[in-house]
Each structure stands twice: as C-alpha cells, then as structure tokens.
Amino acid sequence: MSSASLLRRRLAAAGLSGIALVAFAWSAAHRDGPVAAPFTTSTTLGAVEPTGASTAAPSIGPASFHWAGADPFHVEPRVPRAAGTPCVVEIARNRQFQTEGSDVVPFFYVPPAGCPRPWSKVTLAVELSGPRETHFITSHFEIALDLAAEGGGEWSGSAGLPIFFASPQEHAQLPVWRVEREITDYASLLTRVQTGVMLQVRDNDRWTDGLDPTPIYVRSAKLLFYPPTSATPAPRVPDEVRLIGVASAAPRPGEAFPRNIERAYVDVLARGVYGNRFWFACVPTDRAEAYPALWSPLGIGNARGEVITSLGCSGGSYREVEVYVDGQRAGLAPMFPWLPSNFHVSSATVDDPAPAVQALQMVPYRVDISPFAELLSDGLSHRVELRLVGDTRDEPLFQRLSGVLMLFLDRGATQVTGALTRNTLATQAPTPSVTDDLTWDAATETLQGTIATRLERTYVIEGFVNTSRGRVNHRVWQRSLFDHANGMRIVGPDPTGLDDYDQDFSQKVRLSNTVDRVSQSTRGGEVVLDDREYRSYPLVLDYRAKGSFRTNDGLGYPVPNLIELGVHQARGIRASYLRPGMARYRTALSDVFDAAYLDLDAQDSAEGEVSSARTYRFTDSLGGCYSAALTTENRALTSRTRGTGCPDGRNALRWFSYPDGAPQSMGWAPRP
C-alpha cells in the first residue's frame, strides 16, 4: 500500500475526508452582533505574496519542484510589512553550531543607529540552511536575549528571554529556510545594548548511539525596525518586559515592579523534551507498572540501547501550564502537542519534507493577569512564575518552559491602588480524572483497552486599579478543557524476565485540547477592552510497530519490521477584540497537517514512504486574507496553492495583523 493510500485510509478511519478542517464552537459569550464599519485610520494593506496561484507538479515529475517558486514547502505567512524602509540590525551571519562541544552560539545586539524608538513594527527574520539527516534531528532551536546577564530572571535550560523558538526543518530539497516573527511587543528591550544566545537543543531518539546530529547553520538572523509613518503609526507596546522564572520547591526571591501597573500579561512557551517529547502518548506510571507490556521497546519514542519509552513517562498524558503570582494560581495556558520528527529509532518521521503545524516556529500563548495589577504595584517584592503540571517529575531537564511578563503602565500616575477581589482558580488543583478498561488476555497474549484522561477548569479572576483616568475593573473568564483517549493493543508475551520476544504494538491517541477565554476591562460603566478567544489543539495519532526485542551482550535493542503511522494535527483560533471608538475586530486561523508513514522493511532502518497535506488559512474582519496549501507524496512536493479562496485569488493582509496566530496586543487601536 502506498503512503498516499495510507493517508486516505487514516483520514477515513479518523472520520476525516480530504484535507480536514477545524470546526470552531463558539460559546454564547462569542455570539456578537454584526460588524460595523472598519476603523478607518488602520486599514492600510501590507501585501503578502500578492500574486496568488494554484499550481500542480508539471509533467516532468514532482522531483523538480522549482515550478512552485520560492519557499515551496512553506505555508506559513511572512510578517506583514509596515510602510517605509526598515532599519536592519544583523545579529548573526553564517554561524554554525558545533557537532562537538558547545551548542550555544553567543551574539551581540546594538540598537540601530539613526533609527530611534518608537517603531511601527519590529520583525525578526531567521534563515537556516541544511541539509539535515532524518536519523539525527535536532529537537529545537532558540534565539534568546541574555537578560540574566543584566540581573533578570531565569529560564529553565536557557540563558534568556526567547524571541525565536522552533524546530529546524532544513533539508537538502530546500537549501535555505526563512522564518519570521513579529516582536514589536518586546520593543522596550531593544533600546539598549544586549547580549544574546542562539541555542541548539538535542534530544533525539538515537542520541544514545554516541553520534552527533547534523549541525544547524544560521545563514542569517536580522532584526527589521520600521519607522512610524502616517499610514503605519507606532502602536502602543508594553512599557516594560521581563523574563519570569519557573516555579520550584524552594521559593525564589521576589522582585519589585513599577508602582503604576495598569495591565499585565504573560507570554508562555512550553514543550516537553527528552522523555517528555511525546507526552500526549504517555500512560500513567501506575498503569505501566500494572501492565508490563506497556513498557514496549517498539513503543513511540524509543531510545536505542535503552528500554525507555514515552509510555513510561511520569504523570500520564495530561499537560498544562499554570501561571502563579506569589504562589497563587493566576492563569492557565494549554500545551500544544508539538510533533517531534522521529517517532521511533527506525527514523519513522512524518515531517519530511513538509513541516508539521508550528514546526518552523512556535508562537506563545498569552495569559491575562491584569486583575493582579494592583498587587504587583504595591512596592513590595513579588514572584510571577510558571509551572508545567501533569509531569510528576517536575524537573527542568524534561521541559522547555519560558514566560515573558509584559506590563502596561499608567503614564499619568506614579502609584495605582486597588485590589484583587475574586479568584476562583486559586483552589482548583490540576487533578484530571483518569479511567481505563485495560485487560490482559493470557490465552492470546493480548493487552488492550483505552485510558481516558479529562480535566475541565472554568474560572473567574477579578480585580481593579484606581488610575489617573479613573477606576478600571479587570475581569478574566476562562474555560480550559483537556480531553484525551489513549487506545492500546499490544500482542505478545509478558516481557517480564524475557531477553528476547516478538511483539505487535498499536496505539491510538485522540486529544482534544481547547480554551475559551474572555478578558474585559471597564471604566465608569464603559467597556474599554473586550478580548475573546476560542482556541483548539486537536491531535489524532495512529501508530503501529511490529517486530522483536533482542539482546546482545546484555544490551537490548528493538528490531522492527513494520512501522505504520498516521497523523492529523491542527491549530484553530477564533478571536475578537473591542476598543472604544472602533468596531469589533475579528480574526480566524485554521492550520491543519495530515500525514502518513509506512515502512514495510523497517528492520534495516530503510526510510519509509511519507505522504502529507497541509492547509493554512487566516482571515480578519477588515478584509485581510491569507491562504496556502501543499501536498507531498514519497517525500516529493506534488501540489502547492496560494491565495485560493481569498478575494481575487490574492493573499493580502493589514500591516498590523498577526496571521501566524501570535498574541494580538491591539496596540494600533485607540488607547483603552
């Protein structure tokens, strides 16, 4: 069976047809009235790939993909340009991470001469070059400002505040990969000289072989600063930006904050590494202890030379990030199920050559902690921290977790007063319901059943601040739902005490991870800020490996002879924003990846067949539209579209939009 046929079969089995679409379910709070006329002073278009096109591979065959133009394997949009010519600061050029020695490359940043703040937009553009080897795939790559050198906070496993967080995708079919991220909200950090680091994190399955992966080449990393114009004015950005730490058993020292904080937000980035890369495939430790077959050398995430699988990772499949203020829960962020490249030691991979969702760049999730503004402004020391919950080890070694605190200040006052008046999240512990119907049939040597994990937390947090413009009431309502099913079927003997045995391992993951949130601020009975968002991170994963486990001189290793893998992954976001003097601004994003892998001769580590499909679509209520799609078969590009479904078949975006789904600060809107 070809991998394309396998892809169609997997989609049908999951209840999907063709390229799946994300369905959005709005709560009653999101059922707004009709959109009024656009806010007339902010409708400048910044064109993105202005010549939309739908193309298919020419008759000469898919191996020659130059018909597709620049960046044939990209569907992600570029950051929309502001007007004018940007000032450019290059922080790296032709830098290579060593295959031996340090995986950290330092850089030095100096603000652009003759290009003072404020800026209408700040964009980071990164170009990476390959090629990579699918056997040795770097887990991820980061660029961070080294705030620790200036007495800032700490970040688990790194030296600074992240401005780029990705999994390098480079391969021989595309010599240069360019990825962009807007970092205008972090502009206050870029007015002074900074040191920084580029960090390569290696945690791939074959690391235990003692071999090093192919190094990353940073061809170029640049910061683009756009000066303000009448068409693209400088937006209001956070007055202060800080790195925050990761909560630990030993309380960290607090720090003092400005005494006039009006609003506060935390950008959260999180993913598992090492044994936690496949957290969505994990089973609870007590189940793994009760059913030894779950400790399978053929399971997802196996490491050569060690009988370690992600199924044995601590804490089961539930993961979420909690934000704390002085030890009190202050907000929640979902964990995106980022797909690692290798699913097994045999190099089973689905992201070659097309990247999966957010593989080229992970954007942060923004948590509104404005109800705590008065508390942080009281002049005392406070701790704002993150904790990844669900992993009972709670060790930084197994997580990449960072938080960026952004503060908006009342520029008309030196001191605000107020109070935190309600927090229903404070007492809601992260304790999911876990049930299973696993059974072991000794006669057929079969373990099968489903482990179900579910946690729903709905909360309201309220507070107020007395500002120079009057009393501002902040209210955050959020419903977070984690609903997960892990279907297992393992055929083979009880491995306890056995050195050699055969096994047929199958696992079906069904994850629904959604967040519904409303952030609202009022002053004198008037709504001055109303932000609403519904976010969905579904994952369907079907995995099967058949083969044996063998020992040689006391060293155990898996010998698979069949690996089958099907994936449906998506990211869906619907959001709306309201400010005084403007119509409600709405955005919608759908990013979907479907892929299938089939290797009928995995015993000799031959690369299997891969087929994939990717669709991306962003729209907003001011007429902005971006769409792109591609398909691949047997690691070759077979079709590519741009602009399909957009007006006149063209991609065009407003200069202030965030088509990558990054947090929208609405700094271009009237001041709340």
Side-chain angles (χ1 to χ4, degrees):
M1 180 183 300
S2 71
S3 55
S5 298
L6 179 62
L7 174 57
R8 288 190 291 270
R9 191 180 78 176
R10 288 298 188 193
L11 293 177
L16 307 167
S17 59
I19 298 174
L21 297 178
V22 178
F24 297 105
W26 281 93
S27 69
H30 291 84
R31 297 191 181 105
D32 304 306
V35 178
F39 185 52
T40 56
T41 62
S42 298
T43 56
T44 301
L45 281 171
V48 177
E49 292 191 290
T51 55
S54 300
T55 53
S59 59
I60 59 175
S64 178
F65 56 77
H66 299 291
W67 49 271
D71 300 336
F73 296 106
H74 281 255
V75 300
E76 293 84 359
R78 296 279 188 258
V79 173
R81 303 314 193 236
T85 302
C87 304
V88 179
V89 175
E90 190 168 47
I91 59 175
R93 172 176 287 274
N94 296 329
R95 301 296 296 269
Q96 174 186 341
F97 289 92
Q98 301 299 315
T99 55
E100 298 179 359
S102 175
D103 286 331
V104 175
V105 173
F107 66 84
F108 194 64
Y109 164 78
V110 177
C115 194
R117 185 183 173 194
W119 304 293
S120 64
K121 185 184 287 283
V122 182
T123 299
L124 173 68
V126 180
E127 293 182 351
L128 303 173
S129 61
R132 72 173 185 177
E133 299 175 41
T134 56
H135 283 45
F136 308 111
I137 300 174
T138 298
S139 167
H140 66 268
F141 168 69
E142 304 161 21
I143 299 178
L145 295 177
D146 191 8
L147 301 186
E150 297 186 3
E154 297 179 9
W155 180 27
S156 171
S158 185
L161 183 147
I163 57 175
F164 186 76
F165 193 88
S167 178
Q169 177 67 25
E170 67 273 11
H171 53 65
Q173 294 192 57
L174 187 62
V176 177
W177 293 78
R178 181 184 174 97
V179 187
E180 297 181 355
R181 180 194 174 190
E182 182 175 342
I183 58 171
T184 310
D185 279 348
Y186 300 165
S188 65
L189 298 174
L190 302 174
T191 59
R192 60 184 185 271
V193 173
Q194 300 272 9
T195 58
V197 293
M198 293 180 291
L199 178 69
Q200 175 183 226
V201 179
R202 300 178 295 174
D203 62 359
N204 95 28
D205 278 335
R206 298 192 66 173
W207 203 21
T208 53
D209 280 342
L211 301 175
D212 289 304
T214 302
I216 296 174
Y217 295 86
V218 181
R219 185 172 182 265
S220 175
K222 298 177 181 178
L223 288 168
L224 310 178
F225 299 85
Y226 290 85
T229 68
S230 58
T232 58
R236 188 183 182 195
V237 299
D239 298 281
E240 190 165 320
V241 178
R242 299 192 185 191
L243 178 69
I244 63 174
V246 178
S248 61
R252 302 174 185 272
E255 57 180 311
F257 296 98
R259 304 187 71 170
N260 57 340
I261 301 172
E262 192 171 89
R263 290 184 286 142
Y265 301 87
V266 175
D267 277 359
V268 177
L269 283 168
R271 68 155 297 185
V273 295
Y274 302 109
N276 266 332
R277 287 173 305 134
F278 295 95
W279 56 268
F280 44 80
C282 296
V283 302
T285 306
D286 60 348
R287 270 63 167 187
E289 292 174 348
Y291 300 101
L294 291 172
W295 290 84
S296 172
L298 296 172
I300 295 174
N302 211 351
R304 181 180 294 275
E306 301 177 19
V307 188
I308 299 175
T309 80
S310 286
L311 293 174
C313 59
S314 185
S317 62
Y318 165 67
R319 297 291 186 275
E320 200 168 20
V321 179
E322 295 181 326
V323 179
Y324 284 82
V325 175
D326 294 339
Q328 178 179 183
R329 292 185 187 91
L332 301 178
M335 185 86 157
F336 181 75
W338 207 7
L339 292 178
S341 290
N342 278 9
F343 280 78
H344 192 269
V345 65
S346 66
S347 302
T349 180
V350 294
D351 69 345
D352 183 14
V357 176
Q358 291 204 107
L360 295 180
Q361 180 189 179
M362 179 176 283
V363 299
Y365 178 86
R366 183 160 294 178
V367 177
D368 185 355
I369 62 168
S370 297
F372 293 83
E374 182 278 334
L375 176 64
L376 297 176
S377 300
D378 64 7
L380 303 177
S381 293
H382 298 282
R383 290 179 291 115
V384 182
E385 301 171 303
L386 303 179
R387 174 174 287 126
L388 177 61
V389 294
D391 175 18
T392 56
R393 285 174 297 196
D394 194 24
E395 297 177 19
L397 175 65
F398 296 97
Q399 57 189 247
R400 306 296 297 177
L401 184 60
S402 71
V404 179
L405 175 64
M406 291 163 293
L407 305 176
F408 287 88
L409 307 182
D410 179 3
R411 299 174 182 174
T414 57
Q415 173 76 67
V416 300
T417 59
L420 175 71
T421 58
R422 187 183 183 192
N423 184 1
T424 65
L425 179 63
T427 57
Q428 295 190 45
T431 307
S433 168
V434 182
T435 60
D436 75 87
D437 58 1
L438 292 171
T439 59
W440 166 254
D441 187 333
T444 61
E445 296 185 319
T446 300
L447 173 68
Q448 61 182 354
T450 299
I451 303 170
T453 304
R454 180 183 172 89
L455 178 62
E456 178 180 345
R457 289 196 278 183
T458 301
Y459 63 87
V460 177
I461 304 178
E462 297 174 327
F464 69 92
V465 285
N466 297 309
T467 74
S468 60
R469 301 187 309 283
R471 172 168 166 164
V472 178
N473 299 288
H474 297 301
R475 184 178 189 270
V476 177
W477 173 90
Q478 182 165 315
R479 175 181 179 263
S480 297
L481 175 61
F482 182 93
D483 197 358
H484 183 276
N486 225 337
M488 314 298 303
R489 188 175 187 273
I490 305 170
V491 181
D494 183 334
T496 305
L498 297 180
D499 291 332
D500 304 285
Y501 55 90
D502 298 327
Q503 195 177 75
D504 189 344
F505 180 97
S506 297
Q507 183 175 9
K508 295 180 182 294
V509 173
R510 302 292 185 267
L511 171 63
S512 175
N513 198 357
T514 61
V515 176
D516 205 354
R517 184 185 70 222
V518 178
S519 295
Q520 190 176 82
S521 298
T522 60
R523 183 176 59 238
E526 177 190 12
V527 175
V528 295
L529 178 151
D530 189 288
D531 295 345
R532 305 176 180 224
E533 180 182 88
Y534 178 83
R535 185 177 295 250
S536 177
Y537 295 157
L539 175 66
V540 174
L541 173 64
D542 289 353
Y543 171 88
R544 183 189 179 197
K546 185 177 181 181
S548 60
F549 180 72
R550 296 291 181 262
T551 56
N552 183 12
D553 294 330
L555 180 65
Y557 56 95
V559 185
N561 52 42
L562 167 69
I563 293 183
E564 219 176 348
L565 181 63
V567 171
H568 167 75
Q569 180 195 44
R571 179 176 60 123
I573 306 172
R574 287 188 73 103
S576 71
Y577 310 88
L578 182 66
R579 300 292 185 273
M582 64 171 287
R584 184 174 288 277
Y585 175 61
R586 294 181 174 88
T587 66
L589 169 66
S590 174
D591 186 3
V592 183
F593 176 75
D594 291 294
Y597 175 93
L598 178 64
D599 194 342
L600 298 173
D601 189 19
Q603 186 170 353
D604 62 359
S605 295
E607 291 185 347
E609 297 180 351
V610 182
S611 291
S612 63
R614 179 92 182 271
T615 61
Y616 195 105
R617 181 174 173 82
F618 170 87
T619 59
D620 70 18
S621 57
L622 294 179
C625 183
Y626 175 89
S627 72
L630 61 81
T631 61
T632 74
E633 186 167 354
N634 297 332
R635 292 187 171 85
L637 185 67
T638 53
S639 71
R640 178 181 186 266
T641 65
R642 294 291 185 272
T644 304
C646 290
D648 299 323
R650 298 163 64 92
N651 288 331
L653 296 168
R654 306 290 170 177
W655 70 274
F656 51 76
S657 64
Y658 286 77
D660 61 355
Q664 168 67 267
S665 65
M666 294 294 292
W668 50 271
R671 182 178 180 183

